[in-house]
Amino acid sequence: MTATAVRVDTAPAAQVKRRRRSLGWIAVVPLLVFVAVAFGLPAIAMLDGAFTAKDPATGATSYTVDNLTASLKGAYLTALLGSVKLSAVSAALATAFGLPLAQAVVSSRFRGLREAVLTASGVLANFGGVPLAFAFVATLGNAGVLTRQLGLTDKGWDLYSFWGLVIVYLYFLIPLMVLTITPALDGLRTQWREAAQNNGATGVQYWRFVALPVLLPTLLGGFVLLFGSAFAAYATAAAMVGSSIPLVTLQIADAISGNVLVGQENVALALSLDMVLVAGLVMAVYLPLQRRSARWLA
């Protein structure tokens, strides 16, 4: 009787769980359809075009790896390496500056300051493109306000250079780093600092042997996230430097606009595939780091 009663009682509960799961899948269907249309179809078209070449004489198309080979040679390879260098330097500097800024905000006793900084970071992290380029050109360009008042041109300052572009990228990468690292800093337990102090550790020793090792996966994950954001940026660099600095996003724009040799129209798609592969590698590094940091800071 007892076993029968248990089976009778648990059967409706199991049916309810299955019904909820089925309803949950139905609710996810619109999202899956959107992802398939918005991301799946362009990805298929990109893959098809990246491996397709058109004979300029006959107009016949065939599958080949010539586009990918061309995208990894000459000016295209220089642009890809230039984007990697710019993204890595910008992300490293943003990580170095963003951590102490976020720590200052987290340790502040003024709640209004924390809310103001985080709100401003959320806005500035998404402020880019032509408006950001115009703001820096008007301020630090060759005829910018600060450039003329401080005589920066005579001191060798040039906004339209590699380091000038790095400074512009830091404008939105540092706020993004603050948003990324703040939850991890909140997860540092006060008991760890107290235990370190009770054992005679100084503040520097606490950060060197306790806090930074715990934060390292989050810091690396934040660096990878910043790298991806800088690597995909286009409008700011296009509005500021044009083609004076080789970047893969600018090369793609030139290829799409028709600035390519005859028969190499699909090189832009091959360059896009190169970017997707780099982004995929970035995500492959970022996700395990996030899971590892969550075990300590949850």
Side-chain angles (χ1 to χ4, degrees), residues 152-283:
L152 297 179
T153 303
D154 298 332
K155 300 176 182 178
W157 166 250
D158 183 14
L159 178 65
Y160 314 108
S161 63
F162 174 84
W163 288 107
L165 198 57
V166 167
I167 291 176
V168 175
Y169 276 31
L170 291 179
Y171 189 84
F172 61 86
L173 290 180
I174 291 178
L176 181 58
M177 186 61 192
V178 171
L179 295 176
T180 303
I181 199 65
T182 296
L185 292 173
D186 286 333
L188 292 177
R189 293 167 174 75
T190 56
Q191 295 88 339
W192 297 346
R193 180 185 291 272
E194 294 172 355
Q197 292 175 348
N198 292 336
N199 285 278
T202 62
V204 175
Q205 290 174 329
Y206 163 75
W207 277 97
R208 179 181 177 184
F209 296 106
V210 180
L212 286 180
V214 173
L215 292 174
L216 185 59
T218 304
L219 287 173
L220 293 177
F223 169 81
V224 171
L225 181 64
L226 300 183
F227 177 90
S229 179
F231 188 72
Y234 162 72
T236 301
M240 277 188 54
V241 300
S243 58
S244 60
I245 296 179
L247 297 176
V248 65
T249 51
L250 304 181
Q251 287 286 352
I252 292 174
D254 289 341
I256 292 177
S257 63
N259 187 20
V260 293
L261 299 176
V262 177
Q264 293 188 356
E265 295 82 359
N266 286 341
V267 172
L269 296 175
L271 289 170
S272 301
L273 181 59
D274 294 338
M275 290 192 66
V276 170
L277 294 177
V278 173
L281 179 62
V282 167
M283 293 304 300

Side-chain angles (χ1 to χ4, degrees), residues 3 28 32 36-37 112 139 176 184 205 279 298:
V28 174
L32 296 177
V37 174
T139 305
L176 181 58
Q205 290 174 329

